[in-house]
């Protein structure tokens, strides 16, 4: 049995995985990157989340820096802002929203302003600003920030009066802070200006651009129609402000400054302005675990500690519903949106390193994210599409999946069995326990089959094999189709019986066969009742739902019913039912990326300290291998406990032995057992090492057999070990051993590599 | 084109070919993978040409190069 390795790395083929529209449509379902409600509501685009995070951490200077970015005069803005952020705050749904504006005031009072250290070159275009008030003050600040040489013509007698004209009702200390800022700005003032047509006409020629306060504009052109979005009156060639509250004025000043920028460059002021103002957000934030808290009392103004305590109430809204439940997404620290784009780009690489191959092959394809995501994001679809694409373009390395695929071929060749119940030509039923059940718990498979034969009428056939999902997970359609064809032929031979699936994943895969009638063994046992002599375990068990049964409420309910009838005390965990995570076997993660698969297993086990009850043999096996007691529900029902955790070689031996034993016991067929004419012993280390390195005892035997035939080996005088090798399929296996007798070898170590090595004449 | 050797390992007389009964010597070999080739120097039997790939090399550099090529 061999699977063809991918061809040359120098052949460059490409097929699009998704169209750009399909990609964007998928990405748009992930709201992880959407702005928080408070940020989206702020027309000035203050990063409220970051500001509150800084204040909560006691960093008022950092918070001030963020606030200064959007507010040239933080005192006046924080005093008079209408605070749409507070109205949008998610905590408001539970009770008190965060007192963002009071916190901003504290930030203005206590946060140190960072002075710019760089000397900035003034722009060449000059600006004249006529009038005073909020808009004029804020626009002066914005234009100063943009480094325009600015002259302000105002009626007031000094800068303090100019500021006061915009600071109605602002507490004195905040006003003082803003005055200091104004005085530091490089602005030329012409105080006690007349602000009439004569002055405007006289000054106009000296400046490139002219801006007017709302009052000034109304006086000069009572019928003027400045565009309310651009703040520009093309008829008179002036930028003109709007009346309104503090926030309106600040936002209008920002838009006006953008218009000045466009005009200064000789561009259409309406063009290329980007998204201005408040935006809509599609963020989802789960507040189920949030406890309602009341505002920290303010008593007029927060001190540093008060502001910090209040900022700590912020829950830092974001959507991480999928990431919280999925070890894979946590491992790569990426949202599905980002991961999807990177995978898409990876598939598009024609020549060079494909850095995302590992994440593509590490996903369990379990569909948990689709359930936990408020918009049903389907990461499995993306990874599956990418895998199929890589296979189709010959970019999929065989190494991550070869062991699993060979194991599938083993299940469906050497270990495959299809027989009608003795005494029947065709059957009403066929039991399909699944490859892992035969590999991990052969005794349970036998007991279950004998029970079904006894208690069901019409004959129960047996198929031992793999449903093909392994090929599907590997993205290999051709192999999957071959498997389906084998199973279809086998089912036809048995008279297309009702399939009794022993594994939820097999049940799903088999149900996709045209005309297949599939029932889970759990549902059938609910119907016909438990066999006699079952007894409940004494301790409570944590129930782990199989990812293969996601969306299958009937299976999940049947398992709970069986457990109840057995007398089990079941512990439900946070992620149960449709939200259950994968044990790490799904999607071949366990073969392609052991590290991530181990994190998936640990994530499953972290939910409870109790022994686990599963209904998928892969879950049961992975939990046992991770050192946690676990039982498949069929093991509880049939009282035939499996070995604690068979290694990869034992899993093959179990399947061979089960087939041989059943053939002999039920169909009186003797299968000739391949016997070696030598004996192989293993040190404990070697056996552990082989399991970790995916080397089977049959690989080792093949190497030793070859060595016995060819005599080819080397002796290492330093270690005293003899070393032999054999190329099997796409892999070269090496075995280090000592000879313990004429035909007895003790294996001390085994290793392999995929590269082929040949002699070179130098 | 045998212009460069990517890796060299000397048997230093401790390795012996069981079949030929002679010590392995440093000799030319070539690793081949996914249509890429790398000339190396490894312990080889001067008589039968058996090329020895030590465990550390297989699990170290060889594995790293395999992985790098697989993702090309």
């Amino acid at each position: 049995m061999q699977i063809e390795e991918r061809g040359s790395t120098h052949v460059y083929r490409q097929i699009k995985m998704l169209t750009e529209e399909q990609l964007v449509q998928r990405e748009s379902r992930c709201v992880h990157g959407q702005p928080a409600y408070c940020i989206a509501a702020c027309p000035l685009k203050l990063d409220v989340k970051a500001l509150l995070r800084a204040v909560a951490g006691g960093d008022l200077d950092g918070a001030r820096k963020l606030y200064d970015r959007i507010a040239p005069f933080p005192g006046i803005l924080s005093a008079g802002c209408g605070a749409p952020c507070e109205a949008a705050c998610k905590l408001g749904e539970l009770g008190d929203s965060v007192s963002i504006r009071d916190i901003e005031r504290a930030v203005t009072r206590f946060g140190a302003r960072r002075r710019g250290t760089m000397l900035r070159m003034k722009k060449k275009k000059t600006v004249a600003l006529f009038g005073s008030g909020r808009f004029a003050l804020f626009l002066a600040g914005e234009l100063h920030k943009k480094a325009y040489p600015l002259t302000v013509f105002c009626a007031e007698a000094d800068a303090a009066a100019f500021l006061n004209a915009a600071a109605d009702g602002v507490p004195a200390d905040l006003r003082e802070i803003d005055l200091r800022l104004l005085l530091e700005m490089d602005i030329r003032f012409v105080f006690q200006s007349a602000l009439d047509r004569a002055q405007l006409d006289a000054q106009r020629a000296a400046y490139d651009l002219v801006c007017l306060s709302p009052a000034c504009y109304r006086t000069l052109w009572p019928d003027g129609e400045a565009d309310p979005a651009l703040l520009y009156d093309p008829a008179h060639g002036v930028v003109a402000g709007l009346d309104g509250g503090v926030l309106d004025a600040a936002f209008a000043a920002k838009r006006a400054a953008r218009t000045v920028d466009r005009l200064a460059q000789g561009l259409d002021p309406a063009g290329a302005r980007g998204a201005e103002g408040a935006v809509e957000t599609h963020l989802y934030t789960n507040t189920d675990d949030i406890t309602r808290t009341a505002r920290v009392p303010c008593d007029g103004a927060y001190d540093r500690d008060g502001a910090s305590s209040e900022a700590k109430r912020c829950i830092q809204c974001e959507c991480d519903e999928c990431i919280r439940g999925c070890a894979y997404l946590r491992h790569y620290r990426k949202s599905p949106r980002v991961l999807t784009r990177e995978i898409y780009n990876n598939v598009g690489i024609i020549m060079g390193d494909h850095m995302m191959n590992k994440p593509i092959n590490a996903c369990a394809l379990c569909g948990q994210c689709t359930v936990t995501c408020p918009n049903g994001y389907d990461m499995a679809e993306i990874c599956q599409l990418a895998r199929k694409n890589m296979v189709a373009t010959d970019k999929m390395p065989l190494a991550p999946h070869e062991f699993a695929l060979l194991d599938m071929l083993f299940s469906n060749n050497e270990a495959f069995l299809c027989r009608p119940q003795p005494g029947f030509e065709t059957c009403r039923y066929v039991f399909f326990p699944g490859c892992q059940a035969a590999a991990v718990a052969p005794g349970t498979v036998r007991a279950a089959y004998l029970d079904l034969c006894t208690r069901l009428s019409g004959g129960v056939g047996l198929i031992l094999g793999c449903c093909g999902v392994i090929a599907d997970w590997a993205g290999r359609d051709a192999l999957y189709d071959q498997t389906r064809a084998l199973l279809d032929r086998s089912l036809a031979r048995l008279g297309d019986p009702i399939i009794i699936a022993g594994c939820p994943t097999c049940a799903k895969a088999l149900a996709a066969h045209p005309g297949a009638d599939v029932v889970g063994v759990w549902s059938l046992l609910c119907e016909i009742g438990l066999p006699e002599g079952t007894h409940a375990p004494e301790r409570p068990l944590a129930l782990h739902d199989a990812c293969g049964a996601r969306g299958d409420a009937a299976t999940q309910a049947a398992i709970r019913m069986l457990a109840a009838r057995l007398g089990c005390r079941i512990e439900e965990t946070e992620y149960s039912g449709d939200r259950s995570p994968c044990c790490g076997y799904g999607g071949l993660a366990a073969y392609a990326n052991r590290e991530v698969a181990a994190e998936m297993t640990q994530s499953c086990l972290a939910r409870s300290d109790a022994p686990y009850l599963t209904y998928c043999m892969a879950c049961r096996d992975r939990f046992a291998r991770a050192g946690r007691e676990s039982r498949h529900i069929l093991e509880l029902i049939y009282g035939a406990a499996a070995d604690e955790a068979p290694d990869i070689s034992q899993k093959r031996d179990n399947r061979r032995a089960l087939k041989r034993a059943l053939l002999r016991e039920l169909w009186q067929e003797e299968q000739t057992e391949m016997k070696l004419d030598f004996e192989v012993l293993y040190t404990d280390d070697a056996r552990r090492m082989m399991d970790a390195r995916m080397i089977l005892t049959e690989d080792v035997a093949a190497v030793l057999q070859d060595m016995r035939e060819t005599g080819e080996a080397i002796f290492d005088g330093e270690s005293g070990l003899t070393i032999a090798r054999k190329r099997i399929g796409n892999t070269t296996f090496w075995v280090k051993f000592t000879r313990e007798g004429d035909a007895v070898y003790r294996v001390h170590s085994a290793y392999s590599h995929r590269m082929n090595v040949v002699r070179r004449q130098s | 084109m045998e212009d460069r050797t990517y890796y060299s390992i000397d048997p230093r007389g401790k390795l012996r070919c069981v079949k030929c009964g002679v010590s392995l010597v440093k000799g030319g070999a070539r690793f081949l993978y996914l249509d890429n080739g790398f000339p190396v120097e490894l312990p080889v039997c001067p008589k039968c040409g058996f090329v020895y790939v030590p465990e550390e090399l297989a699990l170290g550099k060889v594995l790293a190069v395999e992985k790098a090529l697989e993702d090309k």
Side-chain angles (χ1 to χ4, degrees):
Chain A
M1 278 184 300
Q2 193 173 340
I3 300 163
E4 207 180 327
E5 176 60 275
R6 68 173 277 206
S8 171
T9 56
H10 308 295
V11 173
Y12 309 112
R13 249 179 287 172
Q14 197 189 20
I15 303 170
K16 254 199 169 332
M17 175 180 135
L18 292 167
T19 64
E20 189 68 31
E21 296 76 46
Q22 288 171 328
L23 174 70
V24 170
Q25 187 259 336
R26 277 157 182 78
E27 283 177 324
S28 65
R29 282 192 204 151
C30 175
V31 296
H32 182 76
Q34 289 276 311
Y37 312 95
C38 50
I39 299 172
C42 176
L44 305 180
K45 301 193 184 300
L46 172 64
D47 191 345
V48 185
K49 240 170 88 176
L51 181 134
L52 293 179
R53 197 164 52 235
V55 176
D59 179 15
L60 270 76
D61 296 351
R64 174 70 189 268
K65 196 175 150 195
L66 289 167
Y67 199 50
D68 281 347
R69 253 185 230 163
I70 59 114
F73 297 101
I76 295 173
L77 182 66
S78 63
C81 179
C85 51
E86 287 187 24
C89 175
K90 194 77 183 168
L91 281 184
E93 292 173 14
L94 299 174
D96 288 350
S97 56
V98 178
S99 306
I100 300 167
R101 194 171 51 170
D102 284 324
I103 291 171
E104 287 168 354
R105 287 176 193 156
V107 166
T108 306
R109 286 192 173 101
F110 307 117
R113 188 169 74 89
R114 223 178 66 163
R115 286 157 195 274
T117 48
M118 283 204 343
L119 276 176
R120 296 180 62 203
M121 287 284 286
K122 282 275 180 195
K123 288 199 168 76
K124 292 212 168 57
K125 303 274 180 177
T126 55
V127 184
L129 169 61
F130 290 81
S132 56
R134 285 170 188 152
F135 173 81
L137 178 74
F138 288 137
L139 182 56
E142 295 289 345
L143 294 174
H144 166 76
K145 204 156 77 180
K146 287 177 181 285
Y148 283 99
L150 174 66
T151 306
V152 172
F153 296 88
C154 60
E156 287 77 10
D158 56 25
F162 176 70
L163 184 103
N164 284 341
D168 200 21
V170 175
D173 62 334
L174 291 175
R175 198 185 286 215
E176 189 56 37
I177 288 168
D178 283 0
L179 180 59
R180 277 203 303 275
L181 291 171
L182 178 64
L183 294 174
E184 281 171 18
M185 291 177 185
D186 183 16
I187 298 173
R188 191 170 83 88
F189 279 97
V190 178
F191 296 116
Q192 293 171 325
S193 290
L195 302 180
D196 54 10
R197 178 67 60 88
Q199 188 184 23
L200 180 70
D201 290 345
Q203 296 294 335
R204 192 156 192 163
Y207 297 92
D208 296 299
L209 293 148
V210 174
C211 305
L212 304 173
S213 71
C216 236
Y217 181 57
R218 264 197 315 275
T219 312
L220 293 172
W221 290 288
D223 302 325
E225 288 181 359
D227 183 307
L230 307 176
L231 291 313
Y232 181 56
D233 178 354
H236 303 103
V238 294
V239 174
L242 287 173
D243 286 320
V246 171
L247 183 57
D248 295 330
F251 180 37
K254 276 214 187 297
R255 299 200 307 278
R258 177 80 56 90
T259 297
V260 167
D261 264 344
R262 303 278 306 168
L263 292 169
Q265 293 169 63
L267 300 168
D268 174 8
R273 297 178 68 95
E276 290 177 299
V279 292
E280 199 183 345
T281 181
H282 300 285
L283 187 67
Y284 170 84
T285 301
N286 187 342
T287 52
D288 290 352
D289 299 332
I290 305 292
T291 39
R292 181 190 170 136
T293 51
R295 282 188 174 184
V296 174
C298 183
D299 197 20
Y302 281 126
D303 58 11
R304 281 171 174 274
D305 291 342
S308 183
S309 303
E310 176 64 6
K312 279 180 185 147
R313 291 182 58 233
C314 170
I315 57 170
Q316 295 285 310
C317 288
E318 64 173 352
C319 180
D320 61 353
E321 295 299 293
C322 58
I323 298 170
R324 270 196 292 161
C326 173
Y328 163 74
L329 291 171
R330 281 202 303 275
H331 180 88
Y332 288 105
R333 296 164 189 261
K334 283 174 180 159
S335 67
R337 181 196 187 91
V338 172
L339 213 46
T340 298
R341 177 62 66 155
E342 290 183 7
I343 287 173
Y344 177 82
N345 290 343
N346 187 81
V347 167
I349 296 170
I350 298 174
M351 196 193 286
D353 293 328
H354 294 75
M355 309 298 281
M356 295 302 285
N357 282 6
K358 268 202 143 188
I360 288 169
N361 285 328
C363 173
L365 309 179
C366 74
Q368 186 201 29
C369 53
T370 313
V371 175
T372 51
C373 170
N375 300 318
Y377 206 101
D378 190 353
M379 206 56 228
E381 183 213 16
I382 303 295
C383 290
Q384 181 78 323
L385 276 175
R387 291 183 198 182
K388 288 183 183 213
N389 186 290
M390 288 162 69
V391 171
T393 54
D394 203 22
K395 291 221 182 79
M396 177 63 98
L398 185 56
H401 297 147
E402 188 176 34
F403 188 92
L405 291 168
L406 287 174
D407 203 57
M408 184 188 88
L409 294 183
F410 168 80
S411 291
N412 286 346
N413 286 281
E414 201 181 328
F416 188 76
L417 181 68
C418 169
R419 290 286 185 282
Q421 183 174 335
F424 290 82
E425 286 280 308
T426 56
C427 295
R428 186 161 172 233
Y429 299 98
V430 60
F431 182 41
F432 192 99
C435 60
Q436 290 305 299
V440 176
T444 302
V445 172
R446 177 187 168 275
Y449 180 57
L450 295 181
D451 178 44
L452 294 173
C453 284
T454 314
R455 295 201 287 146
L456 292 174
S457 58
V460 184
L462 178 68
I463 296 182
L464 296 180
C466 167
C467 65
V469 77
I470 290 188
D472 188 43
W473 282 340
R476 293 178 191 264
D477 287 339
L479 206 51
Y480 184 50
D481 292 343
Q482 275 174 32
T483 312
R484 282 177 62 127
L486 166 75
L487 294 179
D488 284 340
R489 282 197 307 275
S490 307
L491 291 166
R493 241 173 48 214
L494 299 175
D496 287 319
I498 298 166
I499 304 166
I500 305 169
C503 158
T505 301
C506 297
K508 256 187 194 165
L510 293 168
H513 289 241
D517 193 353
V518 185
V519 59
V521 67
W522 43 86
S523 301
L524 195 80
L525 288 172
C526 279
E527 214 177 292
I528 64 171
L530 292 172
E532 282 176 15
T534 60
H535 51 268
E538 286 166 11
R539 282 177 297 165
L541 302 172
L543 180 60
H544 171 75
D545 284 288
C547 56
R550 200 181 308 288
D552 182 354
T555 292
Q556 294 169 15
I559 297 298
R560 284 161 174 79
M561 188 183 287
L562 284 180
R565 285 191 197 164
L566 278 167
C568 286
R569 280 172 295 154
I570 289 296
E571 192 183 291
E572 294 282 358
T573 62
E574 185 195 351
Y575 284 94
S576 69
D578 282 349
R579 291 162 58 83
S580 186
C582 172
C583 67
Y585 185 80
L588 305 181
Y591 298 95
N593 196 320
R594 287 172 167 229
E595 188 189 351
V596 176
E599 287 168 22
M600 291 174 186
T601 310
Q602 288 309 324
S603 181
C604 288
L605 295 178
R607 294 172 301 169
S608 171
D609 294 329
Y612 273 80
L613 173 63
T614 74
Y615 47 102
C616 165
M617 207 54 91
C619 307
R620 181 251 183 265
D621 181 50
R622 282 193 66 80
F623 294 165
R625 282 167 82 98
R628 181 67 65 89
E629 193 182 335
S630 64
R631 282 287 174 271
H632 190 282
I633 191 142
L634 290 180
E635 288 178 275
L636 286 188
I637 293 169
Y638 292 104
D643 293 338
E644 266 317 299
D647 69 18
I648 52 169
S649 297
Q650 287 162 337
K651 283 184 190 170
R652 285 210 172 183
D653 292 342
N654 283 345
R655 275 172 281 180
R656 279 193 201 96
L658 177 66
K659 176 181 175 180
R660 196 179 313 115
L662 289 175
L663 275 176
R664 185 185 302 137
E665 181 183 353
L666 297 175
W667 291 280
Q668 285 76 51
E669 291 178 36
E670 274 303 325
Q671 216 188 9
T672 45
E673 198 175 342
M674 291 288 285
K675 283 263 185 224
L676 294 171
D677 55 0
F678 55 92
E679 191 183 351
V680 189
L681 308 170
Y682 296 88
T683 63
D684 289 345
D685 269 358
R687 200 72 199 234
R688 269 195 299 274
M689 191 185 288
M690 284 163 58
D691 198 51
R693 294 175 181 177
M694 310 289 244
I695 297 171
L696 297 164
T697 50
E698 58 199 78
D699 298 325
V700 169
V703 172
L704 293 172
Q705 178 72 44
D706 188 70
M707 182 270 303
R708 284 167 64 84
E709 286 164 12
T710 62
E712 287 181 5
I714 59 154
F715 179 75
D716 182 350
E718 199 166 27
S719 64
L721 298 173
T722 307
I723 306 161
R725 56 98 179 86
K726 180 177 166 64
R727 182 91 181 158
I728 306 172
N730 300 306
T731 309
T732 303
F733 293 93
W734 294 81
V735 177
K736 292 183 174 177
F737 61 95
T738 46
R739 206 181 279 263
E740 307 253 318
D742 264 358
V744 182
Y745 305 95
R746 183 176 296 278
V747 174
H748 294 259
S749 166
Y751 59 97
S752 68
H753 53 80
R754 300 180 66 82
M755 280 212 201
N756 207 353
V757 64
V758 294
R759 183 86 167 91
R760 170 175 62 105
Q761 295 308 322
S762 43
Chain B
M1 211 166 64
E2 304 292 326
D3 54 349
R4 196 178 149 195
T5 298
Y6 285 83
Y7 190 82
S8 182
I9 188 164
D10 196 329
R12 279 172 290 184
K14 291 170 197 148
L15 299 165
R16 194 162 46 81
C17 176
V18 173
K19 188 178 175 185
C20 309
V22 296
S23 288
L24 300 196
V25 297
K26 189 158 94 171
R30 176 178 279 274
F31 275 117
L32 300 169
Y33 195 47
L34 306 178
D35 197 27
N36 295 272
F38 307 93
V40 289
E41 283 179 330
L42 291 175
V44 296
C45 171
K47 281 178 84 176
C48 71
F50 188 113
V51 184
Y52 174 50
V53 180
E55 187 166 352
E56 313 74 60
L57 178 63
L59 302 178
K61 204 148 189 160
V62 168
L63 184 64
V65 175
E66 279 173 9
K67 283 184 187 296
L69 285 173
E70 282 160 10
D71 291 340
K72 286 281 173 200

